[in-house]
Amino acid sequence: MIITKKKDFQELYENIKGYKSFFLLGCSECATLCGTGGEPELKEMKEALESLGREVTGTFVAKTGCQVLGTKVELKPFKEAIDKAECIIVLSCGAGTQTAVELYEDKPVYPANDSMFLGNMTRLQMFDERCSLCGKCILDKTGGICPLTTCPKGLLHGPCGGMKDGHCEVSPELQCAWVRIYERMKRLNKLDELRNLMMEPKEWSQSQKPRRQYEKKEKTKK
Amino acid sequence: MTFREKLESGKFVITAEAGPPKGTDISEMVHHIELLRGKVDAINITDNQSAVMRMNSLSGCVICLQYGVEPVLQMTCRDRNRIGLQSDLLGAYALGIRNVLCMTGDHVSAGDHKDAKPVYDIESVGLLRVVSGLNEGKDMMGNALKGKTDFFIGAVVTPEANPLEPQLMKFEKKIKAGARFFQTQAVYDMERLKEFMRFARQYPVKIIAGLVVLKSAGMANFLNTNVPGIRVPQELIDELKAAGKEKALDTGLNITARHIRQIYEEKICDGVHIMAIGMEDKVPVILERAGLI
Ligand code: SF4
Ligand code: SF4
């Protein structure tokens, strides 16, 4: 899921202090799981704004905030509340925020969160980055552990000289990704495969921004 | 004889290191180069070592050439993408640089520009393959070069890495990728070095043992706890302790000289690389005590 954290309220407030009324939009997916954009956070934001003498014309937790069409339909019943608000604050990821920007061309929209990474939730609200969406997955070659993401240098052929007792040069709290890959391949009896592997240089063209995926449309065109 | 000719003909080589300045005043670096001229076969010029921003290695190498010493261009993958790396390599060759040491490079978080974007577009093994390609007259995409390079290609290895096996796997990959000589991380235990060399000798590559002078028992302990891939044996720490504060540095110089002598006499490695780290002026003394000059 997309991992978000709340912006410092003061930082947000600096952006919005000129407005008197707000509509608050959350998201029931990642932001809810991260505790940054569910019902409790909307309520907290509403109270904070009201205590500063601002009006909150309405709040809504979208089902999937990054789904533009679905969110548009869901928000129809809130037309009046949104019209009344001078400004929209979105409590989800940057994608959800930009859904609102697309839907409300004439209204200022501000993010309440910082979007950080695609993460695995390991325990309640503890997240680790394991995939950085590089566009061409190499997990098939590295025992299912991603060195591009879990090694801070994204190395492709083995540990660097900074590895110490199995830990990473960059932070002793991190295990060295390449020691993990090596150990796993050993356990799976695939060390020869790993030894013989000469990885081609990464095709960064696969992750050129902004990325698009229009497969269905292209298929129907043909 | 060049550094390469010497190594390839089986002669023992001695190399040292010089770091370019943080700034434009090159007087100290030039002083070190002049001190070492005639005493070493080549000087490694470091590439923004420890991710601390300094004058680039390429310029340092050119200065080294101007002062009559053969340089080894250290090249890390931290600060340049594949276009920048290849283009610097072509420039380096045109300017007379013939040896290149390919490394991944310390992470930016270790240095003085922690908010920099770490590049690592390719890494050590990838860079070795790139240099091999340039030597064959092709860039990374297979495009023909107008005039190819003929670099003597080097890499680094950590014989005391723990765990060691993944490091040895990477060592083999570096050889496959074109490395012809290796410099090791600092080594202090000659018996374990011999053990590593039994493994390394299976391959037709030259190995240069890295040596860092111990200034005190405290420094030895610091290296053991904080620096990855370095292991100073207890006997050496005891020896430094026994020497007392005043004689510690002198004892450290003796230890390095003794190791050089042993590596040379027993032909453990093909050469030594002295990383003086701020004590460049002591390198001649060490070599004298080792009986090599
Ligand atoms: S290689 Fe790593 S970053 Fe790329 S898609 Fe696979 S898991 Fe994600
Ligand atoms: S120690 Fe391991 S995980 Fe950390 S940067 Fe080096 S290779 Fe990558």
Side-chain angles (χ1 to χ4, degrees), chain A residues 130-139 146 148-149 202:
Chain A
R130 293 185 183 164
C131 167
S132 39
L133 309 170
C134 73
K136 192 146 197 203
C137 195
I138 58 165
L139 287 179
C146 176
L148 286 167
T149 310
K202 192 72 193 149

Side-chain angles (χ1 to χ4, degrees), chain A residues 147 150-155 158-164 166-171 174-179, chain B residues 104-105 107 120 170:
Chain A
T150 59
C151 161
K153 300 181 186 173
L155 300 191
C160 71
M163 183 273 292
K164 187 167 171 56
H167 293 275
C168 175
E169 160 185 323
V170 172
S171 158
L174 287 174
Q175 277 186 287
C176 169
W178 270 100
V179 172
Chain B
T104 294
H107 195 265
Y120 305 118
K170 193 158 181 183

Side-chain angles (χ1 to χ4, degrees), chain B residues 136-194:
Chain B
E136 282 162 20
K138 298 255 187 271
D139 75 6
M140 244 180 112
M141 299 308 290
N143 300 311
L145 301 175
K146 190 170 170 188
K148 59 183 181 181
T149 64
D150 185 21
F151 283 116
F152 188 35
I153 311 176
V156 293
V157 64
T158 309
E160 292 276 9
N162 175 40
L164 183 60
E165 277 179 37
Q167 175 69 200
L168 297 181
M169 171 186 81
K170 193 158 181 183
F171 171 73
E172 292 171 322
K173 290 191 185 198
K174 286 180 174 178
I175 295 169
K176 268 189 217 160
R180 291 293 163 262
F181 73 94
F182 280 84
Q183 270 174 211
T184 75
Q185 170 62 295
V187 287
Y188 292 97
D189 186 328
M190 294 300 118
E191 289 312 308
R192 287 173 58 113
L193 179 61
K194 284 184 204 168

Side-chain angles (χ1 to χ4, degrees), chain A residues 148-205:
Chain A
L148 286 167
T149 310
T150 59
C151 161
K153 300 181 186 173
L155 300 191
L156 294 176
H157 298 95
C160 71
M163 183 273 292
K164 187 167 171 56
D165 305 326
H167 293 275
C168 175
E169 160 185 323
V170 172
S171 158
E173 283 160 34
L174 287 174
Q175 277 186 287
C176 169
W178 270 100
V179 172
R180 288 180 61 221
I181 292 170
Y182 191 90
E183 291 304 325
R184 183 162 160 84
M185 290 300 261
K186 197 171 178 176
R187 208 172 299 135
L188 299 177
N189 251 324
K190 289 183 176 197
L191 268 190
D192 282 343
E193 205 178 289
L194 193 65
R195 280 206 196 94
N196 293 328
L197 178 72
M198 191 54 88
M199 210 86 91
E200 287 309 311
K202 192 72 193 149
E203 295 165 41
W204 294 114
S205 57

Side-chain angles (χ1 to χ4, degrees), chain B residues 250-270:
Chain B
D250 200 57
T251 306
L253 297 174
N254 281 338
I255 291 172
T256 306
R258 194 166 79 213
H259 286 163
I260 294 176
R261 189 77 217 160
Q262 191 183 353
I263 292 167
Y264 174 72
E265 275 179 354
E266 298 181 25
K267 296 193 163 58
I268 302 175
C269 297
D270 306 298

